[in-house]
Amino acid sequence: HHQKLVVNATWVQDTLAQKNMFFRKVNRMSPIIYKNSIIAGNSYDGLVSFDLQSKNEKWRTAIPYGVEAGAATINDRLFVGSNSGQMYSINMSSGEIIWVFDSKSELVSEPLLHNGILYFISGSQSLYALDASNGKQIWFYNRQDTTSSMSIRGGSKPTIANGMLYVGFSDGALVAINAQTCTEQWEITLNRNTKFKDIDASPLVDGDYIYINSYDDKIYCLSKDKGEIIWSAAFGGFSTPLLLDGALIVTSSKGELAALSKKDGQVLWVKKTNNGVFIEPSPFKSMIMTGESQGKLLFFDQKTGDQVGSFEPGRGVFSKPSVHNDFLYFMS
């Protein structure tokens, strides 16, 4: 049996240059830990870097309309998209902008950096591949979304395995695309029935299978080679599932946190929240960590789903925490 986990605040820091008077949810980006600093983004004024210990501001980089997406990093470079459609490469030591690429439609999904190439989806459902060193476009894949007028604000981070990109789109399609040639290997429309067809989660590749969460509908297990449905379970959402010891930990748009058998999707346990929805689950020690969008940061036993700890930030948890040593850094 778990002892109760005790979580205490070491420090709290406002990240905005000016006060947020509009009660808009401004923080979806997970903080980035770089050397002895922590970099946070918000959808008002851009990026800011603080010293991890002293909380002193190291630099601040204004980005018009701010950033909502998660970021990719390598060495001293950070790559992040903005609400005004620009993809930025930024030096994490100085905050200096190295290059900017204009996609001409808002960027709210996290980019994928792989072998020096940056892959990301834009708000117009286009997939870009850029040379990460200079921001030059290598190729571009466009998907005309004719079916759906309503779409959830968000987007799928591409996943790469054996040279194939797996990408979800807001018309409910999951597509396998060759990462070098940009040719499509297969596509499948998963989410047909609901008002929101979006696939905003990232696909999880495990051996011969892909697990993908679709908004409001279901979580699917597909064959990696052909994109055929092996099983589905009624836990649709926008977060990427977490694989722990043969169990898929998923969060749904109905406020559920569930553990499913990866073999057949059978439910092992389910927890429900009334405080909004659970954010994307992540592992912390031998536990599952997630947050309620209008409540607390919570810790669960991965075998039983029993809650073993919590922390109340006061305004909900919207970004996945970053872990460094025994410290958790997250935006409320």
Side-chain angles (χ1 to χ4, degrees):
H1 288 292
H2 265 290
Q3 289 179 301
K4 280 286 181 218
L5 176 76
V6 180
V7 189
N8 293 311
T10 306
W11 54 253
V12 180
Q13 172 66 36
D14 187 355
T15 66
L16 295 169
Q18 263 101 37
K19 268 256 165 278
N20 169 13
M21 301 311 288
F22 302 100
F23 301 104
R24 197 169 118 217
K25 287 267 197 268
V26 297
N27 295 106
R28 284 195 10 214
M29 175 182 163
S30 292
I32 304 284
I33 293 161
Y34 167 72
K35 294 188 173 165
N36 199 32
S37 58
I38 184 152
I39 299 165
N42 67 68
S43 60
Y44 275 117
D45 48 40
L47 297 172
V48 58
S49 172
F50 300 103
D51 185 280
L52 265 189
Q53 272 74 43
S54 70
K55 297 198 300 184
N56 289 343
E57 195 174 297
K58 290 187 164 182
W59 53 258
R60 192 177 275 279
T61 300
I63 290 178
Y65 303 103
V67 297
E68 241 173 275
T73 62
I74 185 169
N75 303 331
D76 62 350
R77 291 282 184 275
L78 179 143
F79 303 92
V80 72
S82 75
N83 285 335
S84 60
Q86 271 75 23
M87 178 58 72
Y88 289 86
S89 169
I90 287 168
N91 180 314
M92 287 194 282
S93 299
S94 64
E96 176 201 356
I97 295 170
I98 310 294
W99 56 252
V100 182
F101 173 86
D102 188 3
S103 79
K104 300 187 174 50
S105 81
E106 64 174 8
L107 301 177
V108 292
S109 61
E110 190 175 322
L112 167 74
L113 180 66
H114 183 78
N115 287 351
I117 300 175
L118 196 67
Y119 303 97
F120 59 93
I121 284 189
S122 76
S124 64
Q125 298 307 295
S126 303
L127 174 66
Y128 289 88
L130 307 185
D131 182 328
S133 64
N134 56 23
K136 297 276 183 287
Q137 184 176 308
I138 298 170
W139 55 251
F140 159 87
Y141 168 92
N142 183 247
R143 203 174 168 73
Q144 289 306 317
D145 180 2
T146 48
T147 54
S148 146
S149 52
M150 297 284 276
S151 142
I152 303 290
R153 195 173 164 76
S156 171
K157 174 186 175 180
T159 298
I160 194 162
N162 302 54
M164 295 300 295
L165 291 163
Y166 301 95
V167 197
F169 290 92
S170 67
D171 60 356
L174 182 72
V175 186
I177 298 166
N178 184 301
Q180 277 188 307
T181 61
C182 181
T183 46
E184 205 179 287
Q185 184 178 340
W186 54 256
E187 70 169 81
I188 181 171
T189 300
L190 292 173
N191 202 351
R192 297 170 188 276
N193 345 346
T194 48
K195 183 164 84 171
F196 300 112
K197 298 183 167 62
D198 305 57
I199 297 180
D200 285 341
S202 293
L204 171 69
V205 176
D206 177 48
D208 295 331
Y209 301 101
I210 296 172
Y211 301 97
I212 181 74
N213 215 342
S214 76
Y215 191 82
D216 254 1
D217 187 21
K218 297 188 179 95
I219 180 165
Y220 295 89
C221 171
L222 307 173
S223 70
K224 193 172 77 174
D225 297 341
K226 298 199 177 78
E228 292 166 345
I229 297 174
I230 312 291
W231 58 256
S232 69
F235 291 95
F238 53 83
S239 66
T240 304
L242 171 66
L243 190 55
L244 285 177
D245 301 336
L248 285 168
I249 313 299
V250 294
T251 61
S252 81
S253 53
K254 298 181 181 74
E256 299 150 315
L257 171 73
L260 310 176
S261 156
K262 76 169 185 178
K263 259 200 333 283
D264 51 16
Q266 288 300 306
V267 179
L268 307 173
W269 52 257
V270 185
K271 296 286 154 185
K272 192 131 174 46
T273 176
N274 298 315
N275 302 316
V277 293
F278 287 116
I279 62 161
E280 185 171 318
S282 50
F284 181 64
K285 313 217 161 172
S286 61
M287 294 164 283
I288 295 158
M289 170 171 62
T290 182
E292 300 166 311
S293 60
Q294 295 162 24
K296 301 176 178 176
L297 186 66
L298 294 172
F299 300 84
F300 295 91
D301 182 296
Q302 66 178 56
K303 297 274 182 283
T304 62
D306 294 337
Q307 190 183 312
V308 291
S310 69
F311 176 78
E312 169 64 82
R315 265 292 175 95
V317 183
F318 225 58
S319 79
K320 192 168 152 180
S322 300
V323 181
H324 182 64
N325 300 332
D326 259 351
F327 291 91
L328 301 170
Y329 298 89
F330 74 97
M331 302 298 309
S332 95

